[in-house]
Amino acid sequence: LNEGDRFNVITYANAVSPMFESMTDYDETSKDDAVSQIEIIEGSGSTNIHAALKEAMSQLEAARGDDTDRPAYIIFLTDGLATSGKTAQADIVSDTGKANTTDARLFTFGVGYDVNVQLLDKLSEENAGASDYVKPAEDIEDKVSTLYKRIKNPVLTDIKVEFKGVRLLQQHPPTARDLFADDQLVLTGRFVL
């Protein structure tokens, strides 16, 4: 993270537990505090994906205020299926989209084999992010570190694509996501003249 960035860590099982009461300014003190708390996190209970994403979106909205120039990112890691709270995929995707009032980019990481790939892909696609998966033998720290390096300094944000002289029937993904260094943006679609 860069000096001046704001962050929080939200753990979730049956219940949701933010590390800090609200988004916190990043500096050496807050980093050290977060790392020491992260080191004692233990997995237990169910997986309340819906409540975790709702809390993350709520914290971003509360912290946003008049600061609409900087992009907002959520890095969502899960090693399980939604088993607590709202568990229906359609509800989780819909409610997350409605709660995303800050246009946050949602990056999802599925860890292991017991994750709902379709849900994670849909969440990231609908919220201008990307999804990635970590197999049990792979190093999650390496993948998350690679993502952080990519999103640390975006090249282009809030990209808008216009099609003139044609009527667009379909486009995938539905909106263009941000463009980062060493990245590419691919849009596919169908149109008629």
Side-chain angles (χ1 to χ4, degrees):
L1 298 171
N2 296 317
E3 287 284 329
D5 285 346
R6 288 174 288 184
F7 77 103
N8 203 345
V9 177
I10 300 169
T11 60
Y12 60 100
N14 296 332
V16 173
S17 300
M19 189 170 288
F20 303 106
E21 279 187 38
S22 60
M23 300 289 284
T24 300
D25 289 332
Y26 174 81
D27 57 29
E28 285 302 313
T29 302
S30 62
K31 178 184 108 175
D32 291 344
D33 190 20
V35 169
S36 67
Q37 291 185 58
I38 288 169
E39 288 175 347
I40 60 173
I41 293 173
E42 291 186 21
S44 64
S46 300
T47 305
N48 195 336
I49 290 174
H50 182 268
L53 290 170
K54 186 175 176 182
E55 176 67 22
M57 294 297 181
S58 174
Q59 288 214 2
L60 281 174
E61 183 177 26
R64 192 64 176 245
D66 295 331
D67 186 9
T68 58
D69 291 337
R70 96 172 71 186
Y73 298 105
I74 293 175
I75 313 299
F76 182 75
L77 291 92
T78 184
D79 66 350
L81 304 167
T83 58
S84 181
K86 284 190 179 181
T87 59
Q89 179 175 313
D91 290 342
I92 295 170
V93 171
S94 174
D95 291 352
T96 300
K98 289 174 190 169
N100 191 357
T101 60
T102 62
D103 293 324
R105 283 66 165 172
L106 177 58
F107 293 85
T108 61
F109 279 92
V111 181
Y113 296 120
D114 194 25
V115 295
N116 185 337
V117 172
Q118 187 179 22
L119 170 62
L120 298 180
D121 286 349
K122 193 73 171 164
L123 282 167
S124 60
E125 178 184 299
E126 297 285 323
N127 292 280
S131 53
D132 203 350
Y133 300 92
V134 183
K135 296 175 186 168
E138 288 183 295
D139 184 4
I140 188 169
E141 186 175 325
D142 185 47
K143 287 219 176 187
V144 173
S145 177
T146 299
L147 172 66
Y148 273 123
K149 287 176 189 168
R150 279 182 56 213
I151 68 174
K152 185 174 182 178
N153 296 302
V155 176
L156 294 172
T157 61
D158 299 321
I159 298 171
K160 305 276 189 258
V161 179
E162 278 187 33
F163 298 91
K164 294 188 178 190
V166 298
R167 184 167 57 94
L168 188 64
L169 300 176
Q170 293 175 329
Q171 177 183 314
H172 183 79
T175 57
R177 60 177 177 76
D178 295 345
L179 187 63
F180 305 99
D182 300 325
D183 201 0
Q184 65 179 344
L185 176 62
V186 177
L187 296 173
T188 60
R190 293 180 49 198
F191 64 90
V192 293
L193 297 173

